[in-house]
Amino acid sequence: MLSNLFIYLILSLGIAGTAVADSVSEKDSRIDTLMGAGTHNQYHQFLTELQHAVASGNKKAVAAMIDYPITVSVNSKKIDIKNKSTFIKKYDVVFNKHLTQIILNQKYEELFAKDTGIMVGEHGELWFSGICTTNDCKKFNIRIIAINN
């Protein structure tokens, strides 16, 4: 009886591990379809770098990840941010505890993706997307394009 329980537990863990792997590959495929073939690694890396910068409170690193100028929404109020230095001054207002937790708890495989960007949070608290640096858009930089806190 105990050995059957052990076997069941091992099989269950294996199935759960496969489900997570499948959902990551599904997210990779969706991002590649929407944002361009082979781009999912860049978007995955962007989320990871954002989470590391936010976790460590690295305001300069987060500021470098934003497409300026940007209008952010904080507590239903619009704030215009024209550049990195203004963002750094307003960082604690924009990246408050609520938004920080949403970003840190976001799992890559649970991101919502559409052709205009990738959403962090259940209610679109943060969006990022590729910003073309060439006319044919073969080269691009991923940047935060919206913050709705």
Side-chain angles (χ1 to χ4, degrees):
M1 177 84 175
L2 186 56
S3 61
N4 287 344
L5 180 60
F6 180 72
I7 291 169
Y8 175 76
L9 179 61
I10 296 300
L11 289 174
S12 296
L13 290 174
I15 292 168
T18 302
V20 170
D22 287 344
S23 65
V24 169
S25 65
E26 288 171 8
K27 188 59 60 185
D28 289 347
S29 178
R30 175 129 175 98
I31 289 173
D32 285 345
T33 298
L34 294 169
M35 303 307 204
T39 61
H40 68 270
N41 284 331
Q42 293 165 281
Y43 285 94
H44 196 158
Q45 181 179 353
F46 184 87
L47 176 64
T48 300
E49 289 173 5
L50 175 63
Q51 289 173 320
H52 286 275
V54 169
S56 64
N58 188 338
K59 298 174 185 182
K60 289 181 181 180
V62 176
M65 301 175 97
I66 295 176
D67 184 42
Y68 298 98
I70 189 170
T71 300
V72 301
S73 177
V74 179
N75 296 324
S76 301
K77 291 183 182 179
K78 302 286 184 191
I79 301 173
D80 293 322
I81 300 175
K82 296 181 185 195
N83 53 43
K84 291 178 188 177
S85 61
T86 303
F87 174 79
I88 290 168
K89 290 175 188 172
K90 298 195 179 280
Y91 180 89
D92 293 325
V93 172
V94 177
F95 276 71
N96 61 25
K97 189 175 183 176
H98 173 73
L99 182 59
T100 297
Q101 286 304 309
I102 288 170
I103 293 167
L104 296 178
N105 292 327
Q106 180 67 57
K107 294 179 180 160
Y108 171 77
E109 62 272 13
E110 294 174 357
L111 288 169
F112 172 77
K114 65 180 197 172
D115 61 341
T116 57
I118 298 180
M119 181 178 87
V120 173
E122 292 182 17
H123 305 289
E125 286 86 354
L126 186 139
W127 287 82
F128 59 92
S129 189
I131 306 298
C132 298
T133 58
T134 59
N135 287 340
D136 62 3
C137 209
K138 289 186 179 182
K139 293 184 180 182
F140 62 93
N141 294 319
I142 300 172
R143 296 288 183 258
I144 296 168
I145 58 171
I147 302 169
N148 305 299
N149 182 345

